[in-house]
């Protein structure tokens, strides 16, 4: 347990920022940030490097598309252009369409406020995943991304670790269950740990280097 805590401390020192933080999202339980997280999860769901998806989210937000109202009001070409500026080009046209359609769904179904989705599912992760996958471009992986990051503000989700986070834990020799991993950090830090573990699974962080530093 002591060694596991050291590994986790080193990992968080090196990769302690969530993807939402990297995208400039000040995550809180409010409609704007929760919608921005949905946009980020949509972008991260495609077969593209995570850094490009994060850059694309930042570009969309810089263009003013931080709410479903603003995203829908933007023209398809404006969304394509914003994605292109971030070099998110392989999926830009399809993604621009999905973002517009998803914004309309968010407005029609949940009045632009994803807290309503949370309340509707009564905090049940399976219910949340089903509802999230109704958004175009959000499949099981995208829903996992959303919930993994949202647990920072939706405490009833914690500890939420998807298969990628658990794969990262395995590479580091850490426990393979969310509950056991949760015992290695303070409760509010679990979302940061889950994101850091995903970076290990995706090869953004070297498991070998983390364990070497932890062993010093």
């Amino acid at each position: 347990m002591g060694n596991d805590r050291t590994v986790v401390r080193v990992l968080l020192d090196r990769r302690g920022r969530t993807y939402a933080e990297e995208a400039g999202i000040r995550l809180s339980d409010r409609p704007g940030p929760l919608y921005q997280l949905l946009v980020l999860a949509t972008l991260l769901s495609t077969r593209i490097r995570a850094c490009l998806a994060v850059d694309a989210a930042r570009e969309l937000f810089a263009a003013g598309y931080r709410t479903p109202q603003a995203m829908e009001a933007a023209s398809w070409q404006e969304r394509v252009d914003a994605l292109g500026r971030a070099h998110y080009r392989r999926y830009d046209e399809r993604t621009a369409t999905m973002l517009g359609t998803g914004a309309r769904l968010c407005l029609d179904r949940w009045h632009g406020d994803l807290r309503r989705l949370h309340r509707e599912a009564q905090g049940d992760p399976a219910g949340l995943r089903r509802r999230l996958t109704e958004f175009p471009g959000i499949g099981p992986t995208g829903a996992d991304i959303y919930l993994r990051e949202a647990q920072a503000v939706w405490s009833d989700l914690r500890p939420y670790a998807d298969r990628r986070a658990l794969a990262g834990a395995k590479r580091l020799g850490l426990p393979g269950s969310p509950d056991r991993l949760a015992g290695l950090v303070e409760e509010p830090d679990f979302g940061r740990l889950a994101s850091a573990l995903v970076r290990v699974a995706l090869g953004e962080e070297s498991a070998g280097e983390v364990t070497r530093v932890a062993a010093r």
Side-chain angles (χ1 to χ4, degrees):
M1 175 68 76
N3 184 59
D4 289 348
R5 288 185 184 277
T6 302
V7 169
V8 166
R9 186 171 62 250
V10 170
L11 178 62
L12 289 179
D13 285 345
R14 294 167 65 92
R15 290 287 186 168
R17 296 180 73 199
T18 65
Y19 287 101
E21 287 172 330
E22 283 201 5
I25 301 170
R26 296 183 178 182
L27 198 57
S28 63
D29 194 23
R30 295 185 294 112
L34 292 173
Y35 173 71
Q36 291 158 29
L37 181 58
L38 181 71
V39 171
L40 177 61
T42 303
L43 297 169
L44 285 167
S45 294
T46 57
R47 295 181 181 274
I48 201 165
R49 285 183 297 162
C51 61
L52 289 178
V54 168
D55 287 347
R58 294 181 70 94
E59 192 63 44
L60 287 164
F61 302 151
Y65 313 146
R66 294 176 171 271
T67 66
Q69 293 89 343
M71 186 68 78
E72 188 191 36
S75 71
W76 176 83
Q77 189 61 56
E78 287 172 329
R79 292 192 293 267
V80 168
D81 291 345
L83 294 169
R85 290 193 295 272
H87 307 290
Y88 192 95
R89 294 198 175 99
R90 184 176 177 187
Y91 301 99
D92 55 352
E93 295 185 356
R94 177 171 172 265
T95 301
T97 299
M98 292 190 301
L99 289 171
T101 305
R104 183 71 259 165
L105 175 61
C106 185
L107 291 166
D108 287 345
R109 178 79 182 272
W110 291 288
H111 305 285
D113 187 349
L114 292 175
R115 293 176 300 182
R116 292 171 178 261
L117 179 150
H118 186 211
R119 288 195 294 269
E120 186 179 292
Q122 298 182 325
D124 172 52
L128 285 164
R129 290 177 92 253
R130 284 197 304 273
R131 288 164 175 81
L132 286 166
T133 55
E134 294 181 29
F135 286 98
I138 299 285
T141 297
D144 280 337
I145 292 168
Y146 191 94
L147 297 179
R148 190 179 69 228
E149 299 270 325
Q151 68 182 315
V153 293
W154 289 347
S155 59
D156 52 0
L157 289 176
R158 295 197 291 261
Y160 193 92
D162 60 352
R163 60 182 181 81
R164 281 183 175 170
L166 295 178
K170 183 177 180 180
R171 288 192 183 185
L172 290 165
L174 294 173
S177 76
D179 287 337
R180 291 183 64 197
L181 286 169
L184 301 175
V185 292
E186 297 295 324
E187 184 186 357
D189 289 332
F190 189 80
R192 293 172 57 233
L193 174 59
S195 290
L197 291 171
V198 168
R199 296 180 192 280
V200 173
L202 295 177
E204 296 176 21
E205 178 57 79
S206 165
E209 184 62 18
V210 170
T211 53
R212 278 194 295 273
V213 172
R216 289 175 184 169

